[in-house]
Amino acid sequence: MATIIFNNPHLGALGKSMPNIFEIAKKIKGNGCTRLVKYTGEEYTISGANVGLGSFKIDIGSFQNKIKEINAVPQIMMALDTNQYLLCQQATQLKDNPQLKDLCLRIRMMHIMAFSQLQALLSIPTPSEELGKQILEWTNQMNKLTSQSIDLLKPQPKAVLMEKNVATKSVGEKDVASTRIYKASDGKKTLAEIMKYQGINETQMQEALKTFKE
């Protein structure tokens, strides 16, 4: 069973000090879409002030000899950042489709939470085999999350719309959106598992989503 980062005994006070999903929602409401990750060589900087996170740096080179699992992290960080940015843009264009907008906001907040988890993990002072396992689990869970985002963001061809039995005579923006919701519902179990890993329950997520409607 995956270790839930928020309850990870190795994090101690670090885990308890991480922002919750509601705090993230309050911070990003009204803020524009922004990218969070910049990199120079092997040093990655996450600037999270606009989304409720502290800013932090990761020097991949300093970890490579101690935790081999760190090598997969940069690529996932860049994918998470690209996806959260595109999800933000997508949400601003969906005033007439609140169901899909909520889904974009939900997954974007999960992306932002992922950076907070990574920060807590890499703040553990002494690298260990256990930390390597935790980073590997984070990597696996975030790969699943980025996969859900890709399904949500990519346009769907007419053949897919017909296969999904979407009642339509043409392939328009609303038709594509309907198919995305259909596909996302197929991944509902996966999203629920990732939320559990992140320490988020559905009640907390719904409260966070309400923030955008107030």
Side-chain angles (χ1 to χ4, degrees):
M1 179 180 295
T3 302
I4 300 175
I5 296 296
F6 282 98
N7 296 327
N8 185 344
H10 297 274
L11 294 181
L14 292 170
K16 295 178 182 179
S17 65
M18 290 165 56
N20 60 43
I21 198 73
F22 187 67
E23 291 170 340
I24 289 173
K26 288 193 296 183
K27 190 66 177 180
I28 66 177
K29 180 184 178 181
N31 282 339
C33 304
T34 182
R35 294 186 182 272
L36 307 178
V37 180
K38 296 181 180 179
Y39 67 96
T40 303
E42 294 184 329
E43 184 176 84
Y44 290 75
T45 302
I46 291 82
S47 301
N50 289 337
V51 295
L53 303 180
S55 297
F56 63 102
K57 293 183 179 180
I58 302 173
D59 186 346
I60 298 299
S62 67
F63 281 95
Q64 282 176 334
N65 293 331
K66 302 172 184 177
I67 305 174
K68 65 180 185 301
E69 291 83 2
I70 199 72
N71 293 323
V73 168
Q75 183 177 354
I76 296 174
M77 288 172 58
M78 300 304 293
L80 287 169
D81 190 32
T82 297
N83 287 341
Q84 69 83 21
Y85 178 76
L86 294 176
L87 287 165
C88 177
Q89 291 187 317
Q90 181 99 305
T92 63
Q93 300 169 12
L94 292 170
K95 295 180 181 179
D96 297 328
N97 196 325
Q99 186 179 0
L100 185 57
K101 181 177 181 177
D102 280 2
L103 188 57
C104 288
L105 291 171
R106 172 190 292 261
I107 298 181
R108 185 189 180 212
M109 286 190 289
M110 293 171 69
H111 277 61
I112 294 169
M113 183 69 79
F115 285 111
S116 181
Q117 291 177 288
L118 180 63
Q119 180 182 18
L121 277 174
L122 297 182
S123 296
I124 296 174
T126 306
S128 64
E129 182 179 347
E130 175 61 26
L131 179 56
K133 292 178 181 178
Q134 292 291 329
I135 291 175
L136 179 60
E137 181 61 21
W138 180 87
T139 299
N140 291 336
Q141 294 290 338
M142 294 313 108
N143 272 329
K144 293 177 186 178
L145 185 58
T146 55
S147 177
Q148 292 294 309
S149 302
I150 290 169
D151 281 344
L152 183 62
L153 289 164
K154 69 183 179 184
Q156 301 299 317
K158 184 174 181 179
V160 175
L161 290 170
M162 297 301 291
E163 179 183 347
K164 296 300 184 182
N165 296 318
V166 177
T168 179
K169 294 181 180 179
S170 63
V171 183
E173 182 178 349
K174 290 186 179 180
D175 305 327
V176 172
S178 297
T179 303
R180 287 172 180 167
I181 291 173
Y182 185 100
K183 292 189 70 176
S185 68
D186 286 347
K188 187 176 181 180
K189 182 178 179 181
T190 299
L191 285 179
E193 290 172 350
I194 299 169
M195 284 173 59
K196 182 178 179 181
Y197 168 77
Q198 293 188 307
I200 309 166
N201 61 44
E202 184 59 28
T203 299
Q204 292 168 332
M205 180 62 78
Q206 290 299 327
E207 285 297 317
L209 290 171
K210 284 182 182 178
T211 300
F212 297 98
K213 303 170 186 177
E214 295 174 349

